[in-house]
């Protein structure tokens, strides 16, 4: 199995930047598609970004295109989410996920982290 632990969350003002990390253990993540999802209070979990195992193919929700960047370092067994120009509507718990995916935006990932809180103030 794979354990995923998110870090880097916190409070930031609108327009600022934040970098989230997802550290994996148990097995290498080199063969997995990795993704970030987020969930605001009272709302369903939604797709944010995904990256294929090669690192050459990335996917983003329309709401974050041009502002967020997903990347991976397989040697460090870590995935990142660089969040720039953040908005109050980005406030949510952010979750890291891993899976052998065909449809990268699906919620059917095999492994999930416990999440890290991101709060954006105006």
């Amino acid at each position: 199995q794979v354990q995923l632990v998110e870090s880097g969350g916190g409070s930031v003002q609108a327009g600022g930047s934040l970098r989230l990390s997802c550290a994996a253990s148990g097995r290498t993540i080199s063969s997995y598609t990795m993704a970030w999802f987020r969930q605001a209070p009272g709302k369903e979990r939604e797709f944010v970004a995904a990256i294929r195992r090669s690192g050459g193919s990335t996917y983003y929700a329309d709401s974050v295109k041009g502002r967020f960047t997903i990347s991976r370092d397989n040697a460090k067994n870590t995935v990142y989410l660089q969040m720039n120009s953040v908005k109050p509507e980005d406030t949510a718990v952010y979750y890291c996920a891993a899976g052998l995916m065909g449809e990268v935006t699906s919620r059917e990932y095999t492994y999930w982290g416990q999440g890290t809180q991101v709060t954006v103030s105006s």
Side-chain angles (χ1 to χ4, degrees), residues 19-20 22 32-37 47-52 55-61 64 66-73 78-84 95-97 104 109:
R19 183 178 176 86
L20 306 184
C22 173
Y32 290 92
T33 295
M34 304 297 297
W36 289 94
F37 287 75
F47 171 79
V48 175
I51 185 168
R52 294 288 191 186
S57 298
T58 56
Y59 310 83
Y60 297 95
V64 306
R67 300 188 298 118
F68 292 5
T69 302
I70 187 172
S71 61
R72 67 191 298 160
D73 187 337
T78 302
V79 178
Y80 306 94
L81 184 68
Q82 179 66 46
M83 305 168 60
N84 296 330
Y95 297 90
C96 179
V104 300
Y109 283 79

Side-chain angles (χ1 to χ4, degrees), residues 18-117:
L18 207 62
R19 183 178 176 86
L20 306 184
S21 298
C22 173
S25 61
R27 289 186 177 275
T28 178
I29 62 169
S30 62
S31 297
Y32 290 92
T33 295
M34 304 297 297
W36 289 94
F37 287 75
R38 66 187 182 186
Q39 187 169 23
K43 302 184 68 176
E44 293 186 350
R45 192 168 300 186
E46 66 175 356
F47 171 79
V48 175
I51 185 168
R52 294 288 191 186
R53 62 180 182 177
S54 69
S57 298
T58 56
Y59 310 83
Y60 297 95
D62 289 341
S63 59
V64 306
K65 285 182 179 178
R67 300 188 298 118
F68 292 5
T69 302
I70 187 172
S71 61
R72 67 191 298 160
D73 187 337
N74 288 339
K76 296 181 178 179
N77 231 27
T78 302
V79 178
Y80 306 94
L81 184 68
Q82 179 66 46
M83 305 168 60
N84 296 330
S85 302
V86 295
K87 304 175 180 179
E89 51 262 44
D90 294 323
T91 296
V93 176
Y94 283 71
Y95 297 90
C96 179
L100 301 175
M101 307 300 294
E103 298 183 39
V104 300
T105 61
S106 170
R107 291 190 289 269
E108 300 297 316
Y109 283 79
T110 303
Y111 305 104
W112 294 84
Q114 293 189 350
T116 184
Q117 176 71 47

